[in-house]
Each structure stands twice: as C-alpha cells, then as structure tokens.
Amino acid sequence: MNCENRLFGKIAFITGATSGIGKSTAIAFAKEGVNLILTARRENLLLELKTFLEKEYHIQVFTLRLDVRNAEDVKRSIEMLPLSWRNIEILVNNAGLALGLDKEYLNSSDDIDTVIDTNVKGMLYVTNAIIPLMLSHKKASIIVNLGSVAGDSAYAGGAVYCASKAAIKILSDGLRIDLVDTPIKITNIKPGIVETNFSNVRFKGDEERARKVYTGIQSLTPEDIADTIVYICNLPDNVQIPEITMTPMHQADGLHIYKNVNLNTF
Ligand code: NDP
Ligand code: 8X3
C-alpha cells in the first residue's frame, strides 16, 4: 500500500469468501494485516483459504460455514462468535448470485427465491446481526455492500437479479441514513463485468455460455474490485464514499458494452 495502513490488526467479516470477489478481497485484506472472519457455504474451500492466508500473511482467520439465507443460523453464528472475534470493524456483504437469463415471467419460483433470499434478505440478516457488535465497540466501522451496475437499470432477462441489486442501493442508502449519527460508514460498490465464477453459476454449469460473457472485452478482475474495497476501507474515519461504480474500459454502464473479438491483439 502506498499510503498509511489504517487497516493493520482490524477484523473484517466477509460473506461469499470462497470464490471471485470475496476470495480476492480476503487476500487483499490479508496483505494489509487484517484478521478475517471468512464465511460461505463450502467449508472445505474456506479451510483451504484459511491455511493459505495464515501461512502466507501471518494473520488470523476464523471460518464460519454460513448460508446467508438462513436467518436463524446467521443470527446464532454471529451471536456465538468468540469474544476475541467480536470487534468487527469491516463487513463486506459480498455473497450473491444471478440465476438464468430468462424473461421475467419465465423465472422459476425456486430461482426467484434463491436470488432474492441470497442477495437481499441474506445481506440484511448478516448486516442486522453485525451492527450491534459495531455499535457496542464504538470504533469507526464500515459496511461495504456489493451492488452492481445491474441495479441502475434492467437488462433483458436479468430483471430479478437487477431488482436485487437495485434493492442493495436502496437498503445501503437507508442504512446510511439510519446510522448517520453513529461511527459506521456504508458504501455500495457497483461493478460492471467482473470475470469470476458468477456466469458459471448464472448458467448453471454451462461453461461455454459463461465464457462468452467475458469474450471480446477485457473484464474487470476480482482483484480490481478487492483493491478498491481495501482503498475505501483504508480511508480516514472522516471520509465516506456512499457509492462507487466501476466498469471495464469498454463498458459504459449496465446496458452499453463494446465487444471486439480482436481486443486481445491491442
Ligand atoms: P462468484 O460466484 O465467484 O462468488 C460468489 C460467492 O457467493 C461464493 O463465494 C459463494 O460461496 C457465495 N454464496 C453464494 N450463495 C451463498 C449463500 N446462500 N450463502 C453464503 N454464500 C453464498 O461470484 P462473484 O465473486 O462475481 O460475486 C460476488 C458478488 O459480486 C455478488 O454479490 C455479485 O452479485 C456481485 N457482482 C458481481 C459482478 C460480476 O460481474 N462478477 C458484477 C457486479 C456485482 P459458496 O458457494 O461457497 O456459498
Ligand atoms: C453482474 C454484472 O452485467 O452481469 O452484476 O449483471 S452483470
């Protein structure tokens, strides 16, 4: 880091730390000496990451197998955190997904439930369980929510996902208002195309279709997003960034993307 490290020794709680942006954020924080509570459903991947980060960066990692859709589990797991892990100063609400690219009226109720329960309700369950801890230790804290440019406008076949990310914007804004007299800052980070496992999950394992999403454009990398999250979290206490949009060079917004099959020859 080129500026003062204000992160060293802090505790960050990350949801969806087994892949993509969440995993890269864990690594980026570890490099700055942040101790990590890493959560997701795939415990084996969490444990692998814990072993790697503790060895490589000499930080401490606590893992929690957590499905953010399970309100009771989220509440209980966070209430039962060991005392030494309760001083959480950074929360990254990252767990999320899209399912399919079907017309709105053709989405199955299972897919609708999974997307809304994970992206919207899961984010709320985790946030609501962690804010009391942040308020009780009274230190300056920050919550970073993963929104998306998809939350700015609907695109064909993406309305359920887009609506979930529009909800992140409104819930982030509402929380910032509700916490305005506290030392907790809220940032909604809205990336465009980031090459991760996201499209593979969206297309339910159809790797060929997933690959096409990232063909012809130099996508953002999960490390790009992680670096920005670290930057935001490292700002002085008096500086809040309510919202930040990040797109690859050839993406103007959620709807306008220039794809060039010869792009790799630049
Ligand atoms: P990945 O598929 O690579 O990672 C998603 C992560 O979410 C995984 O670690 C997964 O872990 C976790 N997750 C999914 N469902 C649940 C659940 N029910 N409970 C707990 N964890 C869960 O995707 P990305 O890294 O790309 O996505 C991360 C976030 O960034 C999402 O919110 C996404 O909407 C957002 N985003 C992504 C963009 C992109 O282009 N990739 C652009 C803009 C925003 P596990 O399966 O182990 O539970
Ligand atoms: C994910 C980015 O454009 O695939 O939020 O919806 S996009």
Side-chain angles (χ1 to χ4, degrees):
M1 180 170 295
N2 293 326
C3 54
E4 184 186 344
N5 181 344
R6 302 181 186 87
L7 294 170
F8 188 88
K10 289 187 176 178
I11 296 175
F13 187 109
I14 303 175
T15 66
T18 49
S19 173
I21 296 168
K23 182 176 178 181
S24 293
T25 301
I27 295 169
F29 274 141
K31 286 181 183 167
E32 306 305 328
V34 177
N35 298 310
L36 297 166
I37 303 174
L38 301 182
T39 76
R41 291 165 302 176
R42 289 171 291 177
E43 195 168 28
N44 58 325
L45 296 183
L46 290 174
L47 293 172
E48 267 176 32
L49 187 57
K50 170 184 162 74
T51 304
F52 168 71
L53 295 176
E54 288 184 337
K55 184 156 178 266
E56 191 72 19
Y57 300 109
H58 311 291
I59 57 152
Q60 289 182 305
V61 177
F62 186 88
T63 61
L64 211 51
R65 184 170 57 76
L66 201 60
D67 184 331
V68 296
R69 291 172 296 177
N70 187 328
E72 264 316 298
D73 215 20
V74 167
K75 191 166 178 281
R76 198 181 48 246
S77 304
I78 293 172
E79 277 173 0
M80 286 174 61
L81 280 172
L83 260 185
S84 57
W85 284 100
R86 298 170 73 82
N87 265 344
I88 297 164
E89 288 169 78
I90 300 166
L91 165 61
V92 182
N93 277 312
N94 163 78
L97 78 170
L99 287 174
L101 204 52
D102 294 325
K103 290 184 187 297
E104 197 172 322
Y105 62 92
L106 295 178
N107 277 261
S108 71
S109 50
D110 276 355
D111 284 358
I112 294 169
D113 286 351
T114 302
V115 171
I116 301 295
D117 288 354
T118 307
N119 298 4
V120 183
K121 292 160 73 178
M123 187 281 284
L124 281 167
Y125 299 153
V126 173
T127 303
N128 293 353
I130 286 184
I131 284 177
L133 300 180
M134 290 177 163
L135 289 175
S136 69
H137 64 53
K138 297 188 172 66
K139 293 187 212 155
S141 302
I142 180 162
I143 299 173
V144 178
N145 292 329
L146 263 295
S148 169
V149 293
D152 289 341
S153 48
Y155 58 77
V160 174
Y161 176 70
C162 293
S164 78
K165 292 299 173 178
I168 295 294
K169 187 225 168 354
I170 296 299
L171 293 170
S172 302
D173 290 348
L175 193 60
R176 201 176 305 106
I177 295 166
D178 290 342
L179 292 173
V180 73
D181 56 346
T182 77
I184 305 178
K185 302 188 280 191
I186 314 291
T187 296
N188 174 26
I189 181 161
K190 303 190 300 180
I193 300 174
V194 189
E195 187 162 357
T196 64
N197 207 39
F198 178 85
S199 294
N200 202 24
V201 171
R202 164 171 255 172
F203 298 126
K204 302 179 179 176
D206 184 341
E207 290 184 10
E208 184 57 31
R209 196 171 175 200
R211 204 172 307 118
K212 281 191 186 141
V213 173
Y214 309 111
T215 304
I217 187 163
Q218 196 175 350
S219 307
L220 294 168
T221 66
E223 292 79 16
D224 294 326
I225 311 302
D227 287 348
T228 302
I229 292 173
V230 167
Y231 169 79
I232 292 166
C233 294
N234 191 51
L235 286 166
D237 292 347
N238 63 313
V239 183
Q240 174 165 235
I241 298 192
E243 193 164 283
I244 187 162
T245 306
M246 295 177 69
T247 61
M249 181 162 49
H250 292 294
Q251 179 174 19
D253 56 27
L255 295 175
H256 299 90
I257 300 162
Y258 170 70
K259 287 205 169 186
N260 180 346
V261 284
N262 295 318
L263 196 64
N264 291 338
T265 62
F266 279 5

